[in-house]
């Protein structure tokens, strides 16, 4: 493995939970970051997908519902289950977020407090093992979860003169936006998960591996 982004948890005070009716988690990283700085586990949790919901339960939350999808699915879940009159929602997140969770819920009358609890640092080099494996065509497939991770890999690979080697690779991307960030390289094949969630990406990976 050669991760393009390293998650760094921010040091700071416990988030203000006064007037909060529930917590919105859009990633397992958000769960881990919140659990690091806040002891409360009694608030209802609405998770973007099943893996994030599992991370919340593992962190000690007991009232957990999964939207089983993306930000749009999470918005629908909150609108179906909750009322704006019950209070605001806390959204523990990173410095970069995908989708407009606060905007969509705000349009439905909900207040969302986003608190930045972590950030992602981009890699500055490819490991020597990866450079060698790419040079000798020992890697067949790469997975990209975010536009930033894809763009970081493309930049480093081109800097190291590995663009031609990468043209023999297949890539599997979480979404169309991720694939677009990887577009500067002419990959052998570009696959996109049918839904922008990790479960769909891993299912696509499993189908690809079993089709060989």
């Amino acid at each position: 493995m050669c991760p393009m982004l390293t998650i760094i948890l921010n040091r700071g005070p416990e988030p203000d939970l006064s007037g909060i009716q529930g917590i919105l988690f859009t990633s397992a990283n958000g769960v881990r970051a919140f659990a690091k700085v806040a002891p409360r586990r009694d608030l209802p949790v609405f998770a973007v997908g099943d893996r994030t919901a599992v991370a919340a339960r593992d962190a000690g939350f007991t009232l957990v519902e999964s939207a089983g999808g993306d930000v749009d699915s999470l918005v629908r879940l909150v609108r179906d289950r909750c009322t704006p009159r019950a209070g605001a929602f806390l959204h523990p997140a990173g410095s970069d977020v995908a989708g407009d969770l606060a905007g969509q819920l705000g349009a439905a009358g909900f207040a969302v407090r986003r608190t930045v609890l972590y950030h992602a640092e981009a890699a500055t080099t490819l490991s020597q093992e990866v450079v060698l494996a790419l040079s000798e065509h020992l890697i067949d497939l790469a997975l990209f979860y975010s536009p930033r991770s894809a763009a970081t890999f493309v930049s480093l690979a081109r800097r190291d003169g590995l663009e031609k080697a990468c043209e023999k690779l297949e890539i599997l991307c979480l979404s169309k936006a991720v694939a677009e960030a990887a577009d500067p390289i002419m990959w052998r094949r570009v696959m996109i998960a049918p839904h922008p969630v990790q479960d769909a990406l891993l299912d696509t990976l499993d189908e690809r591996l079993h089709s060989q």
Side-chain angles (χ1 to χ4, degrees), residues 20 24 87-91 101-106 110-114:
I20 293 295
L24 308 177
F89 285 93
L90 184 76
H91 177 207
L101 180 62
Q104 290 188 61
L105 285 175
F110 292 93
V112 177
R113 299 181 199 164
R114 178 181 166 222

Side-chain angles (χ1 to χ4, degrees), residues 51-71:
R51 292 180 183 273
T52 302
V54 169
R57 294 188 186 100
D58 289 346
F61 292 96
T62 56
L63 303 173
V64 180
E65 286 197 69
S66 170
D70 54 14
V71 168

Side-chain angles (χ1 to χ4, degrees), residues 123-174:
T124 56
T125 61
L126 295 176
S127 70
Q128 288 302 309
E129 292 81 2
V130 168
V131 170
L132 180 62
L134 287 171
S135 301
E136 297 186 357
H137 309 302
L138 299 177
I139 298 177
D140 297 318
L141 176 68
L143 274 63
F144 294 124
Y145 281 79
S146 70
R148 189 179 176 199
S149 62
T152 298
F153 181 87
V154 167
S155 176
L156 295 177
R158 296 178 80 180
R159 187 192 67 184
D160 290 346
L162 295 168
E163 188 167 357
K164 286 296 181 183
C166 288
E167 290 177 2
K168 298 184 179 295
L169 284 181
E170 295 183 12
I171 62 170
L172 174 54
C173 302
L174 187 67

Side-chain angles (χ1 to χ4, degrees), residues 160-209:
D160 290 346
L162 295 168
E163 188 167 357
K164 286 296 181 183
C166 288
E167 290 177 2
K168 298 184 179 295
L169 284 181
E170 295 183 12
I171 62 170
L172 174 54
C173 302
L174 187 67
S175 67
K176 182 179 178 182
V178 177
E180 289 173 350
D183 193 56
I185 289 179
M186 297 294 293
W187 310 95
R188 179 160 61 93
R189 181 186 179 194
V190 177
M191 296 173 286
I192 301 174
H195 306 288
V197 294
Q198 181 169 279
D199 285 342
L201 182 139
L202 294 178
D203 287 344
T204 303
L205 174 63
D206 189 58
E207 292 172 5
R208 186 267 187 189
L209 293 176

Side-chain angles (χ1 to χ4, degrees), residues 28-99:
N29 288 324
V31 174
R32 287 188 285 268
F34 178 88
K36 191 79 172 178
V37 297
R40 287 187 62 180
R41 301 291 186 270
D42 59 310
L43 286 167
V45 164
F46 299 89
V48 69
D50 294 343
R51 292 180 183 273
T52 302
V54 169
R57 294 188 186 100
D58 289 346
F61 292 96
T62 56
L63 303 173
V64 180
E65 286 197 69
S66 170
D70 54 14
V71 168
D72 293 339
S73 303
L74 182 56
V75 169
R76 288 193 293 270
L77 177 64
V78 171
R79 291 174 62 181
D80 289 344
R81 297 285 194 274
C82 306
T83 173
R85 294 189 300 274
F89 285 93
L90 184 76
H91 177 207
S95 54
D96 297 311
V97 294

